[in-house]
Amino acid sequence: MAVLHKKEEKIAVVLSKLPTDYTDKQFVEKFIELYSKDWGKIKANYIKQSQDKEPGTVINMPKPELYLKSILTVYLENAKK
């Protein structure tokens, strides 16, 4: 199950609201500002995975901020193609 639906559209909207020389931190902050409900879902999913894991297992999902940075990186790489 996808954590974030229509992520490409949402990333494009966030990027349109940022200056061209934005930082990852600015991207995350603007995403939270524009999509606070989605941010809550991302955090809740991360917390759930952290709590449900068996001792010694690895959490598949990165921390919420890193998750957003990761999907931004994938989006930008795909945009170059």
Side-chain angles (χ1 to χ4, degrees):
M1 184 174 124
V3 176
L4 183 61
H5 297 282
K6 298 183 181 181
K7 59 184 154 198
E8 290 83 9
E9 293 174 27
K10 292 174 181 177
I11 292 170
V13 170
V14 173
L15 291 176
S16 73
K17 307 284 184 190
L18 291 171
T20 55
D21 59 343
Y22 66 91
T23 63
D24 287 343
K25 183 178 182 202
Q26 288 172 311
F27 173 80
V28 171
E29 290 171 351
K30 185 58 76 172
F31 183 91
I32 294 168
E33 178 185 325
L34 296 174
Y35 299 105
S36 59
K37 286 184 182 179
D38 287 312
W39 175 246
K41 289 178 189 176
I42 293 168
K43 285 177 38 180
N45 196 321
Y46 177 77
I47 291 168
K48 183 177 184 326
Q49 283 192 20
S50 298
Q51 292 173 342
D52 289 350
K53 75 177 186 83
E54 294 290 325
T57 58
V58 177
I59 300 171
N60 293 328
M61 183 176 174
K63 291 183 179 181
E65 292 84 3
L66 293 177
Y67 173 78
L68 283 181
K69 291 176 186 177
S70 173
I71 63 171
L72 172 63
T73 300
V74 170
Y75 175 86
L76 292 174
E77 286 174 1
N78 289 336
K80 290 179 184 177
K81 294 180 182 178

